[in-house]
Amino acid sequence: MVIVSLPFVAYYISKAHYIERHGEKFSEERRYRMARRCISIMQRNGRIKTEGRGQELLPAEGGYVMYSNHQGKYDTVGIMSVHSRPCTIVIDAYRSRLPITDSFIDLVQGSRLDKRDMKKQMKTIMEIAEEVRGGRRYIIFPEGGYDNNRNELQDFMPGAFKCAVWAKAPIVPVAIIDSYKPFGINSLRKVKTYVHFLPPIPFEEYRGMRTGEIAELVKSRIAADIDAHLKSRTMQRRAG
């Protein structure tokens, strides 16, 4: 996929650098359209298909924070491929500096979280909360890492939910399934992943809850959706 996409990658990286130097000329919508075009090319060359569900449940107005389980490097682009309105990502500052990833994060104006510096981390979280209040939409992976997660959930970090609480914004649980396969399996076969947007949790519903309680609430809803999907798939295979 990388070899086939190399000319497109080189073109879009150079274009992303141009946009970064002349940011005032490019709206968030225009940046996002370009990002999704990159994703579409990558999916085609990698023989990857992502099926989305629940887009009609997403809040029609205002900002919100999507909290998703984490399976691999494909997770963000998989979500963005089925999320039509501009959204962006919170990413570990160290991981964000990897080749291609760095340019992509700049393109969608994502936020880099420095996990080694608590003061910088809190400042970034407050900035994200302010942006969400202003109408931006963020993707956050509260599990943090994704080594060997596959379709199993790890602990959700309570601190990841502070920005939604401070913004008093809707929380959208997102269940991703088989998202580890595109970059985690050495195969030329076609791959299909799933992104399920679950019913939003309005601020009024989680007001007064501790971040640890919110984390468990979101995790339980994602876990239930993944479990239902996998059970249904198993039954279909047996029936076939």
Side-chain angles (χ1 to χ4, degrees):
M1 182 186 71
V2 173
I3 293 172
V4 174
S5 304
L6 196 56
F8 299 101
V9 170
Y11 169 74
Y12 280 109
I13 286 179
S14 64
K15 195 167 184 178
H17 287 166
Y18 176 83
I19 291 175
E20 193 60 25
R21 293 195 302 270
H22 306 84
E24 70 283 352
K25 298 180 181 180
F26 297 88
S27 66
E28 184 177 26
E29 287 75 15
R30 188 174 177 184
R31 287 169 173 261
Y32 194 64
R33 283 198 301 271
M34 180 178 166
R36 293 187 81 206
R37 174 58 180 159
C38 294
I39 293 169
S40 177
I41 292 171
M42 182 194 70
Q43 289 176 323
R44 184 181 69 238
N45 292 341
R47 308 181 76 197
I48 306 165
K49 181 180 180 181
T50 296
E51 181 179 295
R53 189 188 74 188
Q55 288 93 329
E56 73 283 356
L57 301 173
L58 295 171
E61 297 180 357
Y64 50 83
V65 185
M66 292 173 274
Y67 287 95
S68 171
N69 55 310
H70 207 4
Q71 297 189 355
K73 296 177 182 178
Y74 180 77
D75 299 350
T76 299
V77 295
I79 293 171
M80 287 184 173
S81 72
V82 294
H83 190 282
S84 60
R85 288 183 293 170
C87 65
T88 191
I89 176 74
V90 181
I91 187 171
D92 175 69
Y94 176 76
R95 288 183 181 272
S96 75
R97 299 303 178 184
L98 297 173
I100 303 178
T101 302
D102 189 31
S103 298
F104 187 84
I105 296 303
D106 286 340
L107 180 61
V108 297
Q109 298 175 300
S111 291
R112 294 175 168 87
L113 198 65
D114 189 346
K115 296 182 178 180
R116 297 170 297 182
D117 189 317
M118 184 59 68
K119 287 185 178 180
K120 289 183 179 180
Q121 191 174 143
M122 294 302 294
K123 183 175 182 292
T124 300
I125 292 173
M126 288 189 288
E127 289 172 350
I128 293 169
E130 187 62 32
E131 289 183 22
V132 173
R133 277 195 292 268
R136 293 199 81 194
R137 309 167 191 93
Y138 267 90
I139 302 168
I140 294 179
F141 299 103
E143 285 174 298
Y146 51 74
D147 291 341
N148 300 314
N149 286 4
R150 300 210 165 196
N151 288 320
E152 298 291 332
L153 298 188
Q154 310 302 313
D155 290 337
F156 279 24
M157 298 181 292
F161 293 84
K162 288 181 179 179
C163 55
V165 173
W166 292 348
K168 299 181 180 180
I171 289 173
V172 179
V174 181
I176 56 175
I177 301 163
D178 295 341
S179 190
Y180 65 92
K181 291 182 177 180
F183 298 145
I185 294 179
N186 187 18
S187 172
L188 296 177
R189 291 181 300 175
K190 291 181 180 179
V191 173
K192 187 175 183 180
T193 75
Y194 302 85
V195 175
H196 296 169
F197 299 102
L198 307 183
I201 306 172
F203 176 69
E204 290 72 23
E205 184 175 340
Y206 68 83
R207 182 203 300 266
M209 294 176 63
R210 297 175 180 174
T211 52
E213 295 172 325
I214 299 172
E216 286 303 315
L217 172 65
V218 174
K219 179 182 177 181
S220 66
R221 295 190 181 186
I222 292 174
D225 184 86
I226 293 175
D227 186 56
H229 178 94
L230 296 179
K231 285 182 178 178
S232 175
R233 185 163 68 185
T234 299
M235 291 175 63
Q236 288 174 4
R237 286 175 178 172
R238 289 175 177 173

